[in-house]
Amino acid sequence: MSGENLIMSSVNGVSSIRPEIALNGLANGLKSNGINGHHEHTNGVDHKHANGHKHATVDPRNYDDIIRLAEVIRNMVDLKESPTIGVICGSGLGDLADLLVDKQVVPYTKIPGFPQTSVVGHKGNLVFGYLSGKYVMCLQGRFHPYEHDMDLVLCTMPVRIMHHLGVKTMIVSNAAGGINHKFNYGDLMIIKDHVFMPGLVGFSPLVGLNDPRFGARFVSVHDAYDKQLRNMARRIADEEDIRAHEGIYVMSGGPQYESPAEVKLYKVLGADALGMSTCHEVTVARQCGIRVFGFSLITNIGNDDADTSVEVSHEEVLETAKEASVRACRFVSRIVENL
Ligand SMILES: O=P(O)(O)O[C@@H]1C[C@H](O)[C@@H](CO)O1
C-alpha cells in the first residue's frame, strides 16, 4: 500500500497520510522510560504489525507515551476540528464509521505501537469525520481483554488517546446476550449501570501505579452512564420506534460464553444483559472525566437451564447484530445530533 493510500478515501475529499511523521514521532520518544522514573516499564508492550514486523515500543501505562502517540495520530490526519465525540463501535455498529462525512481512516496497523484487533466484526480502523454535523472519532473495532492477555491498560489506551484529542462524550456499544426475560433478539438496551466482573477481582485498567495526570487514583463510577444522555436516548428510541430497554450490563472475562449456571448467577445479581467488553473502557473514560453513553445490541438470549441445550456462537451474534445495524446506526446518529 502506498503512503498516499494509508488514509482511505473520504466522502468529500481525500487526505494523504504522512508516514514520515509517524516515524519521526517514534524517533522523538516513543520509547518509554516510566512515570517520572518511579515506574520501571514493567509491562512495556512490544507490539507487532499484523504483517509481522515489529514496531514501536509503547508503554500504555506511561502518560508521556500516550500523549506522544496521540500526537502521532493527530499528525497522521488532517483534523478538521477537535473531535469532541468518540464512538467505540461494538459488534454490529462498525458500519457507523462508514457513514461519516469528510472521512479520514487510519488503520490500526499503521499506528505505531497500537494493538491490533483479532475478533471478526471488528475492522481495526480509527475513523474521523462528521456525523449529524458533529466532528467525531470512531474506533471501528475495540480491544477485548481476552484478546490481549487481560492487559486492560493496553485495551483502554484508545480511550486515553481520545481524551487527549478532545473527546468529551463517549458513546460505547456492544453485542450482548439478553438475560432479562423481556428482552428479544435485536432489541437495544441502554446501559444504566454495570457489573465489571474482571474489575471486581483485580483486572481493572486502574490497577498499578497511578500517574495523577491520568486522573484520580480512586474513581467514582456511581454515575458512570450519564442520566441526561440516557433520558435523551430513551426519547429518541421512542421517536424512532426502536425497541429499547434500560438495564444493567455485566462484563465477564470471556472468551468462552457463560454456562447456564453462570447465566443464572448473573440473573440473580440483577444483570439484564451480558457481554465481554465495555466496562474497562467506561472506567477509564470516567477517570478522564468523559461523559458516557452506552448501549447493548441484544444478539442472543442467555440460557440458564443446563437441561436445555442452547448453543451460542459468534456467528449468531454477528448475524443478529448485522440485522440490527441500520437501527443502531440511526439511533447513534440521532443521539449525536442531539449532543
Ligand atoms: O465488542 P463486543 O462486546 O460487541 O463483542 C461481543 C463480545 C465478544 O467479544 C463477542 C462474542 O460473540 O462479541
Side-chain angles (χ1 to χ4, degrees):
M1 190 188 274
S2 79
E4 281 67 42
N5 291 331
L6 293 181
I7 290 182
M8 289 152 195
S9 64
S10 63
V11 176
N12 291 339
V14 182
S15 301
S16 61
I17 195 170
R18 289 171 292 161
E20 75 284 358
I21 289 176
L23 297 174
N24 288 342
L26 288 180
N28 285 342
L30 278 184
K31 282 187 270 94
S32 172
N33 291 319
I35 300 167
N36 300 330
H38 298 304
H39 179 59
E40 270 305 307
H41 199 120
T42 49
N43 202 2
V45 180
D46 205 11
H47 301 296
K48 278 188 178 167
H49 271 300
N51 62 15
H53 78 261
K54 261 196 186 174
H55 62 133
T57 298
V58 174
D59 182 353
R61 288 157 182 76
N62 184 278
Y63 181 84
D64 296 313
D65 275 17
I66 300 291
I67 300 305
R68 282 190 203 103
L69 187 52
E71 288 307 318
V72 167
I73 292 169
R74 194 200 295 280
N75 286 320
M76 290 171 91
V77 284
D78 176 20
L79 289 187
K80 304 299 170 202
E81 49 188 289
S82 255
T84 53
I85 300 165
V87 185
I88 300 182
C89 303
S91 310
L93 197 67
D95 289 353
L96 184 87
D98 296 331
L99 300 177
L100 302 193
V101 174
D102 234 344
K103 185 172 62 165
Q104 296 181 76
V105 181
V106 186
Y108 295 168
T109 50
K110 304 298 174 198
I111 305 175
F114 223 57
Q116 304 304 315
T117 53
S118 66
V119 175
V120 179
H122 291 261
K123 278 192 186 164
N125 293 319
L126 208 52
V127 187
F128 297 86
Y130 288 95
L131 180 67
S132 305
K134 309 265 169 66
Y135 203 54
V136 306
M137 66 182 284
C138 290
L139 288 183
Q140 201 177 30
R142 65 146 52 87
F143 306 118
H144 305 89
Y146 62 76
E147 290 176 271
H148 297 284
D149 300 329
M150 295 307 279
D151 186 344
L152 286 102
V153 186
L154 176 67
C155 292
T156 50
M157 188 164 78
V159 177
R160 288 178 166 150
I161 288 172
M162 274 184 180
H163 178 237
H164 183 70
L165 293 177
V167 166
K168 305 270 185 281
T169 305
M170 182 176 92
I171 297 175
V172 57
S173 86
N174 56 59
I179 45 179
N180 181 318
H181 70 274
K182 292 187 187 141
F183 292 4
N184 219 329
Y185 291 82
D187 287 356
L188 302 193
M189 183 188 86
I190 294 165
I191 304 178
K192 179 180 183 168
D193 199 354
H194 70 214
V195 180
F196 181 11
M197 289 301 277
L200 292 178
V201 293
F203 286 99
S204 160
L206 306 185
V207 161
L209 276 179
N210 184 55
D211 186 326
R213 291 175 294 175
F214 279 131
R217 162 84 286 183
F218 301 105
V219 174
S220 169
V221 283
H222 274 98
D223 50 1
Y225 299 88
D226 190 272
K227 196 169 176 182
Q228 243 184 327
L229 295 181
R230 286 192 275 123
N231 289 342
M232 186 245 278
R234 274 210 312 272
R235 176 176 56 75
I236 287 170
D238 283 348
E239 286 169 10
E240 296 288 329
D241 208 14
I242 292 172
R243 252 178 82 91
H245 315 269
E246 198 169 55
I248 295 172
Y249 174 83
V250 59
M251 172 188 181
S252 42
Q256 70 287 346
Y257 292 107
E258 298 73 20
S259 70
E262 288 161 352
V263 171
K264 192 172 271 177
L265 170 75
Y266 289 147
K267 246 186 200 175
V268 172
L269 276 183
D272 299 288
L274 44 94
M276 305 176 195
S277 68
T278 303
C279 300
H280 56 311
E281 299 150 344
V282 170
T283 302
V284 168
R286 294 308 297 145
Q287 188 191 40
C288 298
I290 296 175
R291 275 210 308 175
V292 173
F293 174 74
F295 72 99
S296 301
L297 282 179
I298 304 301
T299 51
N300 56 290
I301 302 298
N303 168 44
D304 65 2
D305 175 11
D307 288 327
T308 309
S309 173
V310 180
E311 198 188 336
V312 191
S313 70
H314 190 55
E315 289 66 38
E316 178 192 12
V317 166
L318 288 181
E319 202 176 306
T320 318
K322 195 169 167 212
E323 280 162 17
S325 164
V326 172
R327 248 186 344 270
C329 290
R330 185 155 44 94
F331 183 57
V332 174
S333 303
R334 289 287 326 275
I335 289 170
V336 168
E337 181 190 321
N338 281 270
L339 283 175

